[in-house]
Amino acid sequence: DVKVTQSSRYLVKRTGEKVFLECVQDMDHENMFWYRQDPGLGLRLIYFSYDVKMKEKGDIPEGYSVSREKKERFSLILESASTNQTSMYLCASSLPVLDYGYTFGSGTRLTVV
Amino acid sequence: AQTVTQSQPEMSVQEAETVTLSCTYDTSESDYYLFWYKQPPSRQMILVIRQEAYKQQNATENRFSVNFQKAAKSFSLKISDSQLGDAAMYFCAFEYNNNDMRFGAGTRLTVKP
């Protein structure tokens, strides 16, 4: 069963901490994405990567960075967590084909206190 | 800029009945893809149905079908014979290049027994 795995379902971090959210896919997909999901706002793209070591900013990259050292792994980094980064974070992957759609992970609920 | 609008934050349907979820989008592109994703309470987003813009025939997947009106930029989802397992958040999404999928704010569907 192919899948996208996010390492944590729930995280609680303190303001100012550096936070790492990990995502691993086993489908050999070229593209990987990080979204943030907030009620009433849907999913907003933070960063995406279409190849190893490549990254592109999405709509809301401020306060975040990413790392893709291997094809199967895409990490989201909150350099200094703030309370307004409390949210659900979704990782997704896809083939570089327009009609394929995305495969999503189960999400990480991050709370910054 | 591409935008996706879901005007119904919440919908409810009686078990075995039919419900239609609305979605409109705005784009100047001529060739693109549209998707409906389902996010059950377990949170993993799954693809329900997809539609390619140049295909006039509406997509169907078992009890799920779409009404795609390209000129009106409308893409509604019809769920027939609703089941308790259909209860979820439903997101409409638009994609015209492989690295940019836009999501609506979502519609929460409740199924009443």
Side-chain angles (χ1 to χ4, degrees), chain A residues 1 3 22 38 46-47 66 69-70 79 92 98 107 110:
Chain A
D1 190 21
K3 58 184 177 182
E22 305 289 342
D38 298 290
I46 304 171
Y47 268 96
V66 290
E69 297 297 319
K70 294 185 178 181
E79 297 291 342
L98 193 59
L110 173 67

Side-chain angles (χ1 to χ4, degrees), chain B:
Chain B
Q2 277 60 232
T3 59
V4 180
T5 302
Q6 293 179 250
S7 58
Q8 306 153 318
E10 296 184 353
M11 291 282 285
S12 68
V13 62
Q14 206 71 34
E15 196 175 5
E17 297 294 311
T18 295
V19 64
T20 299
L21 308 184
S22 301
C23 174
T24 58
Y25 58 95
D26 186 26
T27 184
S28 57
E29 301 293 329
S30 59
D31 194 17
Y32 47 86
Y33 283 82
L34 295 160
F35 304 85
W36 278 98
Y37 285 88
K38 172 185 177 181
Q39 187 181 42
S42 64
R43 297 189 314 202
Q44 184 145 24
M45 194 97 72
I46 56 175
L47 178 63
V48 174
I49 199 166
R50 77 190 83 196
Q51 173 83 41
E52 189 166 6
Y54 73 79
K55 289 186 178 178
Q56 294 195 349
Q57 185 174 3
N58 289 325
T60 299
E61 290 286 344
N62 301 313
R63 296 182 297 107
F64 297 86
S65 61
V66 299
N67 183 6
F68 174 48
Q69 302 289 330
K70 190 172 184 179
K73 296 180 182 176
S74 171
F75 183 60
S76 60
L77 175 69
K78 185 172 81 171
I79 306 174
S80 303
D81 185 24
S82 297
Q83 301 175 359
L84 295 178
D86 295 334
M89 282 290 288
Y90 286 83
F91 291 94
C92 177
F94 166 97
E95 183 179 32
Y96 78 98
N97 71 46
N98 193 230
N99 296 323
D100 192 1
M101 185 175 289
R102 299 284 162 163
F103 290 83
T107 297
R108 182 174 301 282
L109 178 66
T110 302
V111 181
K112 298 179 179 179

Side-chain angles (χ1 to χ4, degrees), chain A residues 77-93:
Chain A
I77 304 157
L78 286 67
E79 297 291 342
S80 177
S82 63
T83 55
N84 63 14
Q85 292 179 310
T86 292
S87 187
M88 173 72 77
Y89 290 87
L90 295 176
C91 176
S93 71

